Amino acid sequence: RLCSVAFHPTGKFVATTSFDHTWRLWDVETSSMAEGKELLLQDGHAREVYGVGFHPDGSLVSTTDFGGVVQCWDLRTGKSACHFLGHAKRVICSEFSPNGFQLATAGDDGTIKIWDLRRRRPSASIPAHTNLITQLKFSH
């Protein structure tokens, strides 16, 4: 089951997430849309992968899962660059800040977590809602 889709900042690639515990990177510029070329199949999550988002410079992609795990992947190597734990329930969405120094995540526990990517630790936890949070957006 396909869960989420995000465009790379260049528009050349698309990332998708799935209930099969994977996320994939597709080339949509050099392939026809009917036959997008799979560039990367990543299976580093233990639970269903739901959220996905790209760093503003395109070097990282974040993925979130139903086990409460947030992963940041280095697209140059295809490997996990870091991961964050701290949500009590499923993590549904993630969004990089415009300057690329923070990552915001949210989900079933009603909290928004702000992660400091340079220090690789949480910088804030906001008890935003009593129920599920499905979207986040930084303002410019």
Side-chain angles (χ1 to χ4, degrees):
R1 178 173 152 187
L2 179 69
C3 297
S4 297
V5 176
F7 273 93
H8 187 270
T10 64
K12 297 177 182 180
F13 311 107
V14 168
T16 59
T17 61
S18 174
F19 272 27
D20 69 0
H21 304 197
T22 69
W23 70 272
R24 297 166 193 248
L25 185 68
W26 304 89
D27 179 338
V28 295
E29 186 173 79
T30 60
S31 304
S32 72
M33 287 306 286
E35 300 178 21
K37 180 181 177 186
E38 184 180 293
L39 300 175
L40 179 65
L41 168 59
Q42 186 56 259
D43 61 357
H45 283 273
R47 296 283 311 271
E48 298 90 338
V49 184
Y50 201 88
V52 63
F54 284 100
H55 189 274
D57 72 6
S59 65
L60 298 173
V61 64
S62 64
T63 55
T64 68
D65 75 22
F66 280 8
V69 177
V70 178
Q71 296 256 22
C72 288
W73 305 88
D74 185 330
L75 288 179
R76 294 166 293 212
T77 65
K79 296 181 180 179
S80 178
C82 61
H83 70 276
F84 300 109
L85 303 171
H87 284 279
K89 296 182 179 178
R90 300 181 301 178
V91 186
I92 302 297
C93 54
S94 64
E95 175 82 7
F96 286 97
S97 64
N99 67 10
F101 297 148
Q102 293 92 21
L103 177 69
T105 59
D108 267 351
D109 62 5
T111 64
I112 298 170
K113 305 281 188 194
I114 308 294
W115 307 95
D116 184 322
L117 294 174
R118 293 174 291 177
R119 293 187 176 100
R120 297 184 182 196
R121 64 180 187 186
S123 60
S125 182
I126 304 162
H129 296 275
T130 57
N131 288 316
L132 172 72
I133 300 170
T134 60
Q135 272 190 314
L136 292 165
K137 196 71 173 170
F138 275 95
S139 63
H140 293 269

